[in-house]
Amino acid sequence: PQILDAAKAVAKATPVLVGSGVTAESVSELIAHGADGLIVGSSLKFEGRVENPVDLVRVRSLIAAVRLATSTT
């Protein structure tokens, strides 16, 4: 979050995308610190390993975390 805060300060109106460390556990903090977008890769794979197939449980968990972090109700 410190690096994200610094990037947002420098970028001003330019969107800042986070492309590393995006997980269901980290997404709420990243969104709270102003991430304009998230690039997700290996965290959605079985055991978090890039060579493994996508793990649907991890995908659903990330989607639920993003929805919770971005809900306005």
Side-chain angles (χ1 to χ4, degrees):
Q2 279 183 323
I3 294 172
L4 178 56
D5 292 339
K8 290 292 290 183
V10 172
K12 301 194 188 306
T14 302
V16 175
L17 308 178
V18 176
S20 181
V22 179
T23 65
E25 294 76 28
S26 68
V27 74
S28 64
E29 186 174 24
L30 295 171
I31 291 171
H33 281 266
D36 296 298
L38 306 168
I39 302 167
V40 186
S42 60
S43 72
L44 299 181
K45 303 291 192 102
F46 282 99
E47 299 176 352
R49 298 181 56 93
V50 70
E51 66 272 10
N52 288 343
V54 172
D55 181 344
L56 199 52
V57 171
R58 288 175 177 242
V59 172
R60 289 182 176 138
S61 178
L62 181 70
I63 290 169
V66 170
R67 286 182 175 154
L68 183 62
T70 59
S71 68
T72 57
T73 57

